[in-house]
Amino acid sequence: MNWEQLLSLKRQGDTGKRLRIEQDETRLGFEVDYDRIIFSSAFRSLQDKTQVIPLSKTDFVHTRLTHSLEVSVVGRSLGRLVGKKILEKYPYLQEVHGYQMNDFGAIVAAASLAHDIGNPPFGHSGEKAIGEYFSIGNGLKYKEQLTAKEWQDLIDFEGNANGFSVLNSSRPGVEGGIRLSYATLGAFMKYPKESLPKKPTKNIADKKYGFFQTDKAFFQEVASDMGMIANKTGNDIGFERHPLAYLVEAADDICYTIIDFEDGINLGLVSEDFALEYLIKLVKDSIDTSKYKTLETKEDRISYLRALAIGSLINDAVKVFVQNEEAIMQGKFPFALTDKSKYKAQMDDIIKISVKNIYQSREVVEKEIVGYQIIQTLLDKFVTAFNNKFEGKMSNYDNLILKMLPEKHHLEKENLYERLLHICHFVSMLTDGNALLFYKTITAAKS
């Protein structure tokens, strides 16, 4: 791979190249990507989607939106710091092509901002609820009518693949979704493969999948245009990662490790003593002890340690990336950057505490159970009605159900797989609150 190809400003539908040296510095294409994501309805919906605590009304708790904004900030720092090193190593990128340090930051910030845009309501249990509707629920009856890869897309419903679809799918009058630059899409694609074969290797890029069968052709176009390295054979599609995808992943890893932990502390699910014990290991080289002692509230103390911890992890991730840049460019770095961090043991300890005290807390478990029921009920009602309409056997009840679909979802889908995926997409784009409202309406619940 080479950086001038990877830093592509091309967008879906372009017939020629967009050259960096010809860009308007006041309205740079990579910065336009960020703006388009910010103004999209899919991004706005993240304000009422679970990060850790579903349906929480506590001011402390992060939503998917605040999490995504924070990941983009960390991603921007990672991108700029790496960009500085890359331009020092390959000065022709700046001298000949006009790339700047901030370009790297803008690409990673935009991809980081969008990294959760395809996630369903109710956190990761939302993905599982959709998958299990098909694997063991009422959707199982459709299995024999689908190809193996189409079926795998549904039973392993994946927020990353859904996000790629959100960003790029066309509908009448809106060709190519929000049309991001290929560089930003490349950085967004943490898992550049289709759903089968499932986890064929221990390469981090093979851990999950990154696109549905409906998006395969465009995915291949983006990856091939940027010179990403194909790593699958025959009828299977997969690539080594775009290098900046490692930074997007690191930004997410840093934020959910530290900030979910902070949420747990502020909610009383993790004691402050635990916080000091685990966070101090990350900040011992940078903490100003005298300043720390002046902080009187738990919230201020934890906030200070959190900021220092994120700074330590950013600098370490940059160091790991730069040291392994040549292997990354050759597609020979099958790890997450945090896997090679000098703080890996400390991060693992924090995650273990978070799993035990936060992710498996009674409040989270109870609300995830509710989320399962909501999502599977909505899928069943809308899938049944949508298919009955196509097959010409729609009941009056089906007609009423379909009237609840927003106007932009009233599309004709001739293919069963596309109809099923269309309803999954609709449900996945609901906020936690709207999903609950739909559920109450359908089940005639009063509270």
Side-chain angles (χ1 to χ4, degrees):
M1 292 184 281
N2 64 77
W3 282 109
E4 55 266 41
Q5 258 188 292
L6 292 165
L7 299 174
S8 173
L9 282 150
K10 186 176 180 180
R11 299 178 187 278
Q12 186 172 170
D14 285 355
T15 55
K17 288 188 175 182
R18 296 177 186 236
L19 301 179
R20 173 62 181 88
I21 204 163
E22 297 176 354
Q23 285 281 298
D24 179 354
E25 293 296 333
T26 65
R27 185 73 171 146
L28 183 65
F30 301 133
E31 294 169 347
V32 170
D33 290 344
Y34 194 95
D35 298 347
R36 290 183 175 186
I37 295 164
I38 280 281
F39 283 102
S40 69
S41 59
F43 183 76
R44 286 196 301 277
S45 75
L46 297 179
Q47 67 186 306
D48 185 27
K49 281 191 176 182
T50 294
Q51 172 60 16
V52 180
I53 311 294
L55 300 171
S56 177
K57 300 304 178 186
T58 306
D59 289 340
F60 283 128
V61 175
H62 286 77
T63 64
R64 287 281 180 194
L65 184 129
T66 50
H67 168 72
S68 296
L69 289 168
E70 289 166 346
V71 174
S72 77
V73 169
V74 172
R76 184 181 61 213
S77 295
L78 286 166
R80 286 180 176 178
L81 290 167
V82 164
K84 183 174 185 291
K85 298 292 185 181
I86 295 300
L87 294 179
E88 289 171 357
K89 186 174 182 179
Y90 307 107
Y92 74 92
L93 289 172
Q94 186 169 29
E95 295 165 0
V96 176
H97 298 287
Y99 288 106
Q100 305 295 326
M101 173 185 73
N102 285 356
D103 295 349
F104 293 81
I107 293 166
V108 180
S112 298
L113 188 71
H115 83 281
D116 271 350
I117 205 165
N119 280 37
F122 309 113
H124 288 295
S125 67
E127 290 174 310
K128 293 174 184 173
I130 293 174
E132 289 183 4
Y133 171 74
F134 293 101
S135 63
I136 57 175
N138 290 346
L140 183 59
K141 61 187 175 187
Y142 301 112
K143 180 178 181 179
E144 300 305 318
Q145 301 175 62
L146 304 175
T147 68
K149 289 178 180 178
E150 289 172 344
W151 183 244
Q152 197 67 37
D153 285 357
L154 296 173
I155 64 173
D156 265 348
F157 188 84
E158 173 56 50
N160 288 283
N162 197 45
F164 187 79
S165 190
V166 168
L167 296 173
N168 301 295
S169 290
S170 301
R171 64 178 191 271
V174 184
E175 297 301 319
I178 60 176
R179 298 186 67 238
L180 302 180
S181 69
Y182 282 11
T184 295
L185 291 176
F188 174 85
M189 301 186 309
K190 291 195 294 184
Y191 308 107
K193 67 177 288 291
E194 54 190 335
S195 57
L196 287 177
K198 185 175 180 178
K199 297 183 180 178
T201 73
K202 292 184 179 179
N203 187 330
I204 189 68
D206 284 340
K207 181 180 176 182
K208 299 179 182 179
Y209 70 96
F211 60 92
F212 297 130
Q213 292 300 298
T214 49
D215 301 308
K216 180 191 290 190
F218 180 60
F219 187 96
Q220 286 182 271
E221 177 188 321
V222 173
S224 299
D225 187 83
M226 288 190 293
M228 290 168 60
I229 300 170
N231 63 5
K232 302 290 183 291
T233 58
N235 294 323
D236 299 324
I237 305 301
F239 294 84
E240 298 296 342
R241 279 180 167 175
H242 188 293
L244 298 184
Y246 287 93
L247 300 182
V248 173
E249 178 180 56
D252 188 26
D253 288 347
I254 289 168
C255 285
Y256 82 71
T257 300
I258 302 302
I259 295 174
D260 286 2
F261 193 55
E262 181 185 20
D263 275 352
I265 296 160
N266 285 326
L267 287 169
L269 299 172
V270 177
S271 72
E272 186 177 359
D273 289 341
F274 264 132
L276 292 175
E277 179 183 347
Y278 287 98
L279 290 178
I280 206 73
K281 296 174 184 177
L282 294 173
V283 304
K284 60 184 179 182
D285 296 331
S286 55
I287 190 170
D288 181 339
T289 306
S290 59
K291 177 178 179 178
Y292 181 77
K293 288 179 179 177
T294 66
L295 302 174
E296 296 184 356
T297 69
K298 177 175 74 173
E299 183 180 353
D300 287 341
R301 289 190 293 271
I302 299 305
S303 177
Y304 177 64
L305 294 177
R306 178 254 298 150
L308 292 180
I310 288 176
S312 296
L313 294 173
I314 286 173
N315 291 330
D316 186 67
V318 170
K319 182 178 180 181
V320 174
F321 185 96
V322 171
Q323 288 175 341
N324 293 281
E325 186 260 346
E326 291 182 13
I328 289 170
M329 295 294 282
Q330 295 168 11
K332 295 179 179 178
F333 189 76
F335 315 101
L337 296 180
T338 52
D339 288 339
K340 297 300 178 181
S341 171
K342 71 177 182 179
Y343 298 113
K344 185 178 188 305
Q346 289 87 342
M347 292 181 74
D348 287 347
D349 286 343
I350 289 172
I351 290 170
K352 285 177 185 176
I353 292 295
S354 295
V355 168
K356 179 181 177 182
N357 291 33
I358 305 171
Y359 307 143
Q360 295 177 356
S361 68
R362 185 175 182 87
E363 180 181 6
V364 171
V365 170
E366 287 177 349
K367 289 179 178 176
E368 285 188 347
I369 290 170
V370 172
Y372 256 84
Q373 182 66 29
I374 290 171
I375 286 177
Q376 296 207 343
T377 298
L378 296 183
L379 280 176
D380 202 42
K381 299 299 184 184
F382 282 101
V383 162
T384 300
F386 203 56
N387 274 323
N388 284 348
K389 179 183 179 182
F390 176 80
E391 294 169 2
K393 55 182 184 182
M394 181 172 63
S395 68
N396 185 55
Y397 179 73
D398 293 332
N399 185 44
L400 291 171
I401 289 291
L402 292 181
K403 284 183 177 179
M404 296 174 69
L405 270 179
E407 185 179 10
K408 68 180 180 179
H409 291 284
H410 284 268
L411 301 175
E412 297 296 326
K413 299 289 182 180
E414 296 296 318
N415 177 282
L416 173 63
Y417 166 68
E418 291 183 3
R419 291 198 299 277
L420 297 174
L421 198 59
H422 182 65
I423 296 303
C424 289
H425 176 72
F426 157 65
V427 172
S428 73
M429 289 294 96
L430 293 173
T431 65
D432 292 12
N434 274 340
L436 179 59
L437 287 174
F438 270 103
Y439 176 78
K440 286 181 176 179
T441 299
I442 286 172
T443 61
K446 294 181 180 179
S447 61

